[in-house]
């Protein structure tokens, strides 16, 4: 049995990951366990998960995230506040959990990190979502650095980069972007479903060979091929 801490477990991709990983010892968190916008939350979440999992975590999955608009016509102060909120939840909180995980894995002979990033990391996003794209690009850079820095200690790091995934978040986005027109840009002809992302997360968390460390897996119906 593998001990797993998964953030953002209450809905969407996270809920599908809970299902895909249900045969393991999993602690799934959501905003009910602490708001990741609060700088005190990541350490508290880590410590409480560690306790619930009997003092050992083998896999960290950073999935919690927000996709909130910061239109350029906001006042500058409002725009900066939105930037900082997205960075804090999507990138800094994930980085803190990665840091705590690396320290823990160093003591325990290794472990795995799976970060849920986004196609936006590579392709960019809408004019109201620079912060989102930057937060996900940050996650990709962080994942690669951890993979390169700690592979010798059997600490493996991966990321997945979904395009559109049919969760609450994507439904709103699709509607705001004209639905079918956007689908026409996806060669597969449809958006991904959460189970497809969860199946990649499960593979990376439990099965991917060590030599794959540092891999960033695209899940986007060939809508952005790099
Ligand atoms: N859906 C897409 O099209 C898509 C595409 C690419 C990447 N992604 C990424 O995939 C991940 C999951 O996305 P999703 O679409 O499944 O999202 P979702 O349905 O909106 O669910 C978000 C999850 O994150 C948690 N969360 C959000 N803000 C939080 C906060 N401030 N503190 C603690 N927990 C918080 C939520 O908890 P509560 O239920 O308690 O709010 C929920 O469990 C995100 O990182 C997202 O950026 C999604």
């Amino acid at each position: 049995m593998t001990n797993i801490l998964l953030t953002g477990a209450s809905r969407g991709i996270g809920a599908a990951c809970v299902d895909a990983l249900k045969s393991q010892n999993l602690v799934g968190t959501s905003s009910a366990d602490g708001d990741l916008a609060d700088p005190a939350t990541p350490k508290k979440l880590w410590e409480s998960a560690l306790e619930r999992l009997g003092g050992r975590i083998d896999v960290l999955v950073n999935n919690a995230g927000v996709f909130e608009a910061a239109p350029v016509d906001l006042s500058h102060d409002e725009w900066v506040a939105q930037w900082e909120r997205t960075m804090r939840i999507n990138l800094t909180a994930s980085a803190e959990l990665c840091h705590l995980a690396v320290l823990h894995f160093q003591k325990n002979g290794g472990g795995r990190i799976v970060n849920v990033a986004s196609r936006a990391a590579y392709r960019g996003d809408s004019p109201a979502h620079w912060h989102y794209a930057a937060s996900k690009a940050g996650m990709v850079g962080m994942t690669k650095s951890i993979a390169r820095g700690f592979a010798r200690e059997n600490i493996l790091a991966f990321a997945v980069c979904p395009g559109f995934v049919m969760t609450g978040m994507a439904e709103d986005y699709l509607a705001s972007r004209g639905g079918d027109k956007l689908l026409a840009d996806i060669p597969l002809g449809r958006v991904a479903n959460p189970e497809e992302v969860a199946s990649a997360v499960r593979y990376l968390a439990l099965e991917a060979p060590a030599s794959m460390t540092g891999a960033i897996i695209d899940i986007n119906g060939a809508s952005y091929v790099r």
Side-chain angles (χ1 to χ4, degrees), residues 16 34 41 43 47 52 68 71 74 82 86 88-90 120 131 166 178 184 191 200 203 207:
T41 298
K43 197 151 180 274
E47 280 163 4
R52 285 167 67 187
E68 295 172 347
L74 287 179
Q82 272 304 112
T86 288
R88 163 56 63 184
I89 295 170
N90 289 8
H131 56 344
M166 201 43 92
V191 299
Y203 172 71
E207 287 173 20

Side-chain angles (χ1 to χ4, degrees), residues 110-127:
R112 290 178 181 231
I113 292 169
V114 183
N115 288 322
V116 180
S118 169
R119 177 182 67 176
Y122 290 96
R123 199 200 61 159
D125 213 298
S126 83

Side-chain angles (χ1 to χ4, degrees), residues 7-15 29-38 41 45 62-68 85 89-90 116-120 132 135-136 139 160-171 173 192 194 197:
T7 65
S10 53
R11 299 186 270 127
I13 292 167
T29 65
S30 70
S31 56
D33 301 283
D35 182 358
L36 290 169
D38 175 352
T41 298
L45 271 192
N62 274 313
N63 167 71
V66 290
F67 181 77
E68 295 172 347
R85 177 177 152 77
I89 295 170
N90 289 8
V116 180
S118 169
R119 177 182 67 176
Y132 179 80
S135 73
K136 296 303 188 175
M139 250 188 161
V160 295
C161 284
F164 295 120
V165 183
M166 201 43 92
T167 64
M169 199 158 87
E171 270 160 24
Y173 190 83
V197 181

Side-chain angles (χ1 to χ4, degrees), residues 34-163:
D35 182 358
L36 290 169
D38 175 352
T41 298
K43 197 151 180 274
K44 273 198 228 153
L45 271 192
W46 176 266
E47 280 163 4
S48 111
L50 200 55
E51 200 183 313
R52 285 167 67 187
L53 289 166
R56 201 190 81 238
I57 293 175
D58 305 303
V59 175
L60 164 68
V61 182
N62 274 313
N63 167 71
V66 290
F67 181 77
E68 295 172 347
V72 286
D73 53 5
L74 287 179
S75 75
H76 181 67
D77 288 353
E78 286 168 338
W79 190 90
V80 171
Q82 272 304 112
W83 174 279
E84 287 184 342
R85 177 177 152 77
T86 288
M87 285 296 167
R88 163 56 63 184
I89 295 170
N90 289 8
L91 182 57
T92 310
S94 300
E96 287 193 42
L97 289 170
C98 284
H99 180 238
L100 293 163
V102 165
L103 296 178
H104 178 72
F105 295 161
Q106 282 180 319
K107 281 191 288 188
N108 281 11
R112 290 178 181 231
I113 292 169
V114 183
N115 288 322
V116 180
S118 169
R119 177 182 67 176
Y122 290 96
R123 199 200 61 159
D125 213 298
S126 83
H129 292 94
W130 314 351
H131 56 344
Y132 179 80
S135 73
K136 296 303 188 175
M139 250 188 161
V140 168
M142 172 172 86
T143 305
K144 291 178 176 178
S145 304
I146 294 168
R148 288 174 56 77
F150 302 98
R152 287 271 165 82
E153 295 173 86
N154 198 28
I155 297 170
L156 312 179
F158 310 94
V160 295
C161 284

Side-chain angles (χ1 to χ4, degrees), residues 208-219:
S211 293
M212 271 183 73
T213 193
I216 314 293
I217 307 292
D218 290 335
I219 307 169

